[in-house]
Amino acid sequence: MVDSADTLPASDRELDTSGLFCPEPIMLMHNAVRDMTSGQVLMVVATDPATTRDVPKFCQFLGHELLNHQSEADGTHLYFIRLG
């Protein structure tokens, strides 16, 4: 799902994994969601292209909802995940 920047969901926590490569972004996401509660939204910033595959699988496997994925021209990916 891709939306314009002015319609991005609000987030309860932001996680910047820029410059990190698989499996580090997913490992940091696991740590971040442990400190959050169901219904909260985690925004993840990533530069690893593998996250386009890994983040949706992370959400599906753990029962979270991927609200939004936006790819920027500079190779940055923004993910908004509502915890299940």
Side-chain angles (χ1 to χ4, degrees):
M1 171 183 271
V2 178
D3 288 323
S4 66
D6 56 336
T7 61
L8 294 176
S11 61
D12 297 292
R13 181 169 178 188
E14 296 181 9
L15 176 65
D16 187 354
T17 66
S18 299
L20 301 177
F21 294 95
C22 185
E24 292 171 303
I26 298 300
M27 291 171 53
L28 291 174
M29 288 170 56
H30 274 289
N31 290 339
V33 300
R34 285 187 185 121
D35 297 331
M36 298 176 71
T37 59
S38 180
Q40 288 188 312
V41 175
L42 173 65
M43 182 186 89
V44 179
V45 179
T47 53
D48 182 2
T51 60
T52 60
R53 175 196 66 228
D54 296 341
V55 171
K57 289 186 181 216
F58 170 88
C59 293
Q60 182 182 19
F61 184 73
L62 295 174
H64 304 312
E65 178 185 1
L66 181 57
L67 297 174
N68 184 289
H69 168 220
Q70 181 169 330
S71 296
E72 302 292 328
D74 66 358
T76 300
H77 300 278
L78 302 176
Y79 301 94
F80 290 82
I81 302 163
R82 183 183 319 278
L83 275 59

